[in-house]
């Protein structure tokens, strides 16, 4: 025996074998069991004493151990039907001094269920690899062009024309507009029309990343910079966008502490990873966007004045939908074509009544809200034309509200008989308010709760009550 093995007490060997392989069996050249551990015997419904010195095929159902002991050919990750299930087993020939002397069998998983549990544990690693593999191919490319920006109103065409004109520049751009007006589409289009169009386009939402992660997300980190840091470190968004365009969405939500670090990078044109000492030169064009009033934030001390002027080289204000209502029909047609592809439908149109209803609404969620309204309508649409009853309740109620204002006091008494009970009416309105808030926030429940000015726990309770997922 090897001297190193001799240093291990003999009574340790059994424990070591059990730890290395939970279920194990050893046979000689004739398939006679020389060793089998307790864990395997418990699984088989026998005992070590009963199994030892017996032919392996008499103890283990559907075994191939005696075959491997004869052929000397290993069988790895083999399905082994036993006890009404299927194990995943490995079988190895034992060769000593060049001679085949027997076989060793181990059970990796007692059933396919155990294998699936194991697979689940590593699945997130596989998904992470896929994510980083496709990131360069898909996420670092801009997807929209100026012909994707739909509208014919004077204010919108002026913004679009200015964006096209300044695309070839390397100057920073600040896009101002309400949520859902299409600021990101403008950013994509500017990049695609620029001299950097064949280079990376990297978008990051400053409001969606926790403050303590924002620095490492923007600037990257070195190996061992903090607990949980990826081995070898990680490039930040600035490095990924090198020679291309970096789109900083919701820049108004960036913490003050990060604003000073961002300003330094824009001034020095170099980044330093978290935990690193080396400065890495970067050449990126910055396009920033916000729905906030940055000038007011500067006066209130909530946004750095020097950073504001650094970003505000070219400011483009994108008008909200309620200031360009003549574009609603045009945008609706474009959105319907997009949704038709998603739903495998063709020839969907909107009725004149629906068109009028869309014109009457104030659209606080802008184009994003309009798209969600049309998508909701298609989900409940049987024919080819979207009618008023296909719309969400808060849009259908526009008719009820306007008709109520025109009813005389005498008529009001008559229509009251047809109204829902107050409790049901309030519940209906509450549900639609929640759905409307979710539409405006693109499904973000925490943001929707904030808009409705209720607590997160209460909001989730309401969603459960009204079966809103």
């Amino acid at each position: 025996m090897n001297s190193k093995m001799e240093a291990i007490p003999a009574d340790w060997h059994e424990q070591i074998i059990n730890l290395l392989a939970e279920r194990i069996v050893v046979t000689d050249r004739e398939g006679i069991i020389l060793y089998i551990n307790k864990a395997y015997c418990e699984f088989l419904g026998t005992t070590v004493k009963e199994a030892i010195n017996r032919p392996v095929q008499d103890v283990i159902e559907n075994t191939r151990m005696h075959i491997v002991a004869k052929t000397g050919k290993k069988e790895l990750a083999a399905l082994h039907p036993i006890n009404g299930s299927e194990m995943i087993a490995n079988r190895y020939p034992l060769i000593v001094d060049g001679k085949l002397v027997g076989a060793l069998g181990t059970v990796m998983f007692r059933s396919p269920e155990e294998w699936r549990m194991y697979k689940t544990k590593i699945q997130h690693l596989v998904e992470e690899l896929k994510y980083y593999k496709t990131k360069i191919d898909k996420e670092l490319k801009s997807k929209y062009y100026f012909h994707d920006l739909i509208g014919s109103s004077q204010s919108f065409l002026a913004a679009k024309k200015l964006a096209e004109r300044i695309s070839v520049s390397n100057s920073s751009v600040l896009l101002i507009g309400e949520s859902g007006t299409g600021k990101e589409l403008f950013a994509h289009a500017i990049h695609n029309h620029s001299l950097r169009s064949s280079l990376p386009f990297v978008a990051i939402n400053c409001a969606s990343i926790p403050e303590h992660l924002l620095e490492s997300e923007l600037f990257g980190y070195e190996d061992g910079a903090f607990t949980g840091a990826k081995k070898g470190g990680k490039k930040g968004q600035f490095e990924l966008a090198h020679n291309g365009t970096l789109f900083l969405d919701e820049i108004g939500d960036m913490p003050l502490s990060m604003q000073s670090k961002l300003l330094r990078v824009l001034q020095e044109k170099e980044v330093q990873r978290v935990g690193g000492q080396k400065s890495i030169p970067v050449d990126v064009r910055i396009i920033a966007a916000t729905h906030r009033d940055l000038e007011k934030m500067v006066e209130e001390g909530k946004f750095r004045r020097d950073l504001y002027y650094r970003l505000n080289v070219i400011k483009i204000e994108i008008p909200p939908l309620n200031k360009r209502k003549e574009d609603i029909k045009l945008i609706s047609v474009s959105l319907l074509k997009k949704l038709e592809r998603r739903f495998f439908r063709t020839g969907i149109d909107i009725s004149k009544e629906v068109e009028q209803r869309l014109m009457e609404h104030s659209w606080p969620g802008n184009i994003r809200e309009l798209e969600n309204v049309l998508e909701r309508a298609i989900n409940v649409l049987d024919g080819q034309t979207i009618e008023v009853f296909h719309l969400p309740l808060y849009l259908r109620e526009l008719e009820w509200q306007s008709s109520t204002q025109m009813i005389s006091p005498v008529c009001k008494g008559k229509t009251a008989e047809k109204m829902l009970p107050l409790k049901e009416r309030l519940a209906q309105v509450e549900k639609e308010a929640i759905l409307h808030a979710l539409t405006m926030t693109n499904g973000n429940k925490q943001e929707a709760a904030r808009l409705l000015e209720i607590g997160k726990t209460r909001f989730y309770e309401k969603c459960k009550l009204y079966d809103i997922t």
Side-chain angles (χ1 to χ4, degrees):
M1 183 180 286
N2 185 287
S3 59
K4 292 181 180 178
M5 287 294 293
E6 288 176 349
I8 301 174
D11 57 354
W12 289 18
H13 293 175
E14 178 86 9
Q15 177 72 357
I16 291 170
I17 290 171
N18 287 333
L19 290 172
L20 289 173
E22 190 178 338
R23 286 162 289 278
I24 187 169
V25 62
V26 179
T27 73
D28 64 12
R29 183 76 189 275
E30 304 304 320
I32 303 300
I33 295 177
L34 301 178
Y35 175 83
I36 185 168
N37 67 348
K38 185 179 178 182
Y40 206 163
C41 288
E42 288 176 351
F43 175 61
L44 295 170
T46 186
T47 65
V48 174
K49 186 176 180 180
E50 291 174 350
I52 290 291
N53 296 324
R54 291 178 60 192
V56 68
Q57 57 268 42
D58 292 349
V59 177
I60 302 175
E61 179 186 358
N62 297 316
T63 186
R64 288 178 54 84
M65 285 289 294
H66 56 298
I67 297 173
V68 173
K70 294 280 189 189
T71 64
K73 294 181 180 179
K74 64 184 175 182
E75 298 178 357
L76 302 180
L79 284 176
H80 183 164
I82 189 169
N83 289 353
S85 184
E86 288 182 320
M87 300 186 305
I88 298 176
N90 289 327
R91 306 180 187 103
Y92 305 91
L94 290 175
I95 299 173
V96 179
D97 295 330
K99 293 177 62 177
L100 179 63
V101 297
L104 164 70
T106 65
V107 175
M108 294 170 58
F109 306 102
R110 287 175 293 180
S111 67
E113 286 71 27
E114 278 195 6
W115 160 242
R116 280 191 285 271
M117 287 174 62
Y118 178 76
K119 184 180 178 183
T120 300
K121 291 179 180 179
I122 63 170
Q123 190 63 37
H124 72 281
L125 298 175
V126 176
E127 294 299 325
E128 188 175 358
L129 287 173
K130 286 181 181 178
Y131 169 78
Y132 287 111
K133 184 176 181 297
T134 58
K135 189 177 179 73
I136 293 176
D137 296 333
K138 293 184 179 179
E139 294 190 11
L140 302 187
K141 297 288 183 182
S142 52
K143 298 176 285 188
Y144 304 104
Y145 298 82
F146 280 111
H147 62 74
D148 295 310
L149 306 179
I150 307 299
S152 59
S153 62
Q154 187 175 352
S155 59
F156 181 77
L157 288 177
K160 184 176 176 180
K161 186 176 180 180
L162 175 59
E164 285 186 84
R165 186 182 302 162
I166 58 87
S167 292
V168 294
S169 165
N170 280 321
S171 299
S172 297
V173 180
L174 180 60
L175 301 173
I176 303 292
E178 295 178 7
S179 295
T181 50
K183 298 187 291 295
E184 185 165 353
L185 270 68
F186 265 80
H188 280 265
I190 291 170
H191 174 79
N192 266 329
H193 202 254
S194 73
L195 300 176
R196 300 171 181 255
S197 59
S198 61
L199 297 163
F201 175 86
V202 178
I204 181 170
N205 189 312
C206 301
S208 65
I209 301 174
E211 183 176 349
H212 67 283
L213 295 178
L214 190 55
E215 182 177 3
S216 60
E217 188 68 25
L218 281 173
F219 309 139
Y221 57 80
E222 293 291 357
D223 187 5
F226 48 83
T227 303
K230 185 183 296 183
K231 188 175 181 181
K234 179 187 172 184
K235 287 184 177 181
Q237 303 297 325
F238 268 92
E239 287 183 73
L240 292 174
H242 182 53
N243 291 325
T245 302
L246 179 62
F247 175 50
L248 298 173
D249 198 8
E250 302 298 351
I251 188 71
D253 292 279
M254 180 176 282
L256 274 169
S257 58
M258 276 302 303
Q259 291 177 26
S260 59
K261 294 176 182 179
L262 173 61
L263 179 64
R264 180 194 170 279
V265 172
L266 298 183
Q267 289 173 335
E268 304 299 329
K269 299 188 183 300
E270 60 184 25
V271 297
Q272 194 172 87
R273 293 183 183 180
V274 175
Q277 303 296 324
K278 183 178 68 173
S279 293
I280 303 168
V282 288
D283 173 20
V284 296
R285 183 188 192 179
I286 298 294
I287 301 178
T290 184
H291 68 281
R292 299 186 181 278
D293 185 343
L294 289 188
E295 291 183 5
K296 183 179 179 183
M297 291 180 68
V298 167
E299 295 302 320
E300 294 173 347
K302 296 178 180 178
F303 199 87
R304 290 186 63 107
R305 187 179 299 274
D306 42 9
L307 177 60
Y308 173 68
Y309 289 126
R310 174 70 64 171
L311 297 173
N312 190 26
V313 178
I314 302 166
K315 181 164 73 173
I316 300 175
E317 296 190 34
I318 305 171
L321 197 53
N322 59 18
K323 297 290 178 62
R324 46 184 289 227
K325 288 196 172 183
E326 62 267 41
D327 290 339
I328 288 177
K329 179 62 186 294
L330 201 61
I331 296 170
S332 297
V333 171
S334 176
L335 290 174
L336 284 174
K337 288 180 181 177
K338 172 184 171 183
L339 291 167
E340 282 177 345
R341 292 191 295 270
R342 191 186 303 172
F343 285 88
F344 305 102
R345 301 280 296 269
T346 56
I348 297 176
D349 198 3
I350 58 176
S351 69
K352 290 293 183 183
E353 292 79 6
V354 168
E355 186 178 340
Q356 181 61 32
R357 197 60 49 84
L358 298 182
M359 293 288 288
E360 292 171 357
H361 185 49
S362 60
W363 297 111
N366 292 290
I367 298 171
R368 184 181 295 126
E369 181 185 359
L370 176 58
E371 181 174 2
N372 287 343
V373 164
L374 294 174
E375 182 176 347
R376 189 261 187 198
I378 292 176
N379 271 291
V380 297
L381 181 64
D382 292 324
Q384 295 295 105
T385 304
I386 297 173
E387 301 289 353
V388 172
F389 59 83
H390 294 127
L391 298 177
L393 180 62
Y394 71 88
L395 286 176
R396 298 201 302 271
E397 282 189 331
L398 289 174
E399 181 181 33
W400 178 82
Q401 291 167 0
S402 59
S403 62
T404 302
Q405 293 169 3
M406 298 172 62
I407 295 173
S408 67
V410 176
C411 292
K412 284 182 181 179
K414 294 179 180 178
T415 44
E417 297 174 5
K418 300 179 181 179
M419 289 182 63
L420 290 171
L422 181 60
K423 184 177 180 180
E424 290 183 32
R425 188 62 168 173
L426 289 173
Q428 197 175 42
V429 171
E430 189 172 60
K431 180 178 180 180
E432 285 299 328
I434 292 171
L435 290 170
H436 189 200
L438 287 170
T439 297
M440 291 177 62
T441 60
N442 205 24
N444 187 319
K445 290 187 175 181
Q446 291 190 17
E447 186 67 17
R450 188 185 65 78
L451 286 177
L452 294 172
E453 297 183 4
I454 63 174
K456 184 174 68 173
T457 302
R458 189 178 171 207
F459 182 84
Y460 278 92
E461 288 174 351
K462 295 286 186 185
C463 287
K464 186 176 180 181
L465 176 64
Y466 298 126
D467 196 25
I468 298 172
T469 56

